[in-house]
Amino acid sequence: MSEQTRTRDQQVEAPASDAAVGGTAFAAVLMIMIGAFHAIQGSVALFQDDFYVVTPRYVAQFDLTTWGWIHLVLGLLVLCAGFALLADKTWARVVGVILAATSALANFAFIPYYPFWALTIIALDVFIIWALTARGRRSAPLDY
């Protein structure tokens, strides 16, 4: 279809801005780092039980071995999705948002064991969700 025959109802998709591409790349690198952090967090829970303080009477009461496996598996998934996002795979954006939300929820439940670290990971997860969902949005369609 040539530009002369386009109607006013049709929208032309603009290329993503440099800031959006940079934000996505930064989110991918953050996902790789968070995946590694989760894997380390899970390994510590599996191999050094006395590192984390176990608090009684919290909503999500799992033993540290369970938390270790949760963080290890989640970390590997987030790590792989981060590499896929760097490779510009289409599905990686949706999977990244889902895994970042899952990571934030898992760390919310992990707050009593290691509060500062869990809250730091939650903040990074929120940034990842924002960066992956805000790419290329515009307030008004382009008119040609």
Side-chain angles (χ1 to χ4, degrees):
M1 171 186 294
S2 69
E3 287 190 3
Q4 290 89 8
T5 59
R6 284 192 182 136
T7 64
R8 201 150 168 78
D9 296 335
Q10 294 174 330
Q11 294 181 6
V12 177
E13 191 171 321
S17 68
D18 291 338
V21 172
T24 302
F26 186 61
V29 171
L30 275 181
M31 286 181 69
I32 292 168
M33 289 174 48
I34 287 175
F37 293 156
H38 270 294
I40 292 168
Q41 196 173 7
S43 298
V44 168
L46 287 173
F47 298 119
Q48 194 175 9
D49 285 343
D50 58 348
F51 183 79
Y52 296 115
V53 176
V54 179
T55 57
R57 297 181 160 203
Y58 192 67
V59 175
Q61 289 190 2
F62 297 123
D63 63 340
L64 283 177
T65 304
T66 304
W67 275 119
W69 284 111
I70 290 170
H71 283 292
L72 190 61
V73 170
L74 186 60
L76 294 175
L77 291 172
V78 172
L79 184 79
C80 291
F83 280 120
L85 192 59
L86 269 182
D88 205 23
K89 302 293 182 188
T90 306
W91 56 267
R93 186 174 295 280
V94 174
V95 170
V97 170
I98 292 168
L99 287 175
T102 304
S103 170
L105 290 173
N107 276 290
F108 179 75
F110 197 72
I111 286 175
Y113 297 95
Y114 205 11
F116 177 75
W117 191 250
L119 292 173
T120 302
I121 298 296
I122 290 170
L124 293 174
D125 286 330
V126 168
F127 175 77
I128 288 169
I129 292 169
W130 171 80
L132 294 179
T133 57
R135 178 183 171 193
R137 286 191 180 171
R138 296 199 177 272
S139 58
L142 296 175
D143 290 328
Y144 286 102

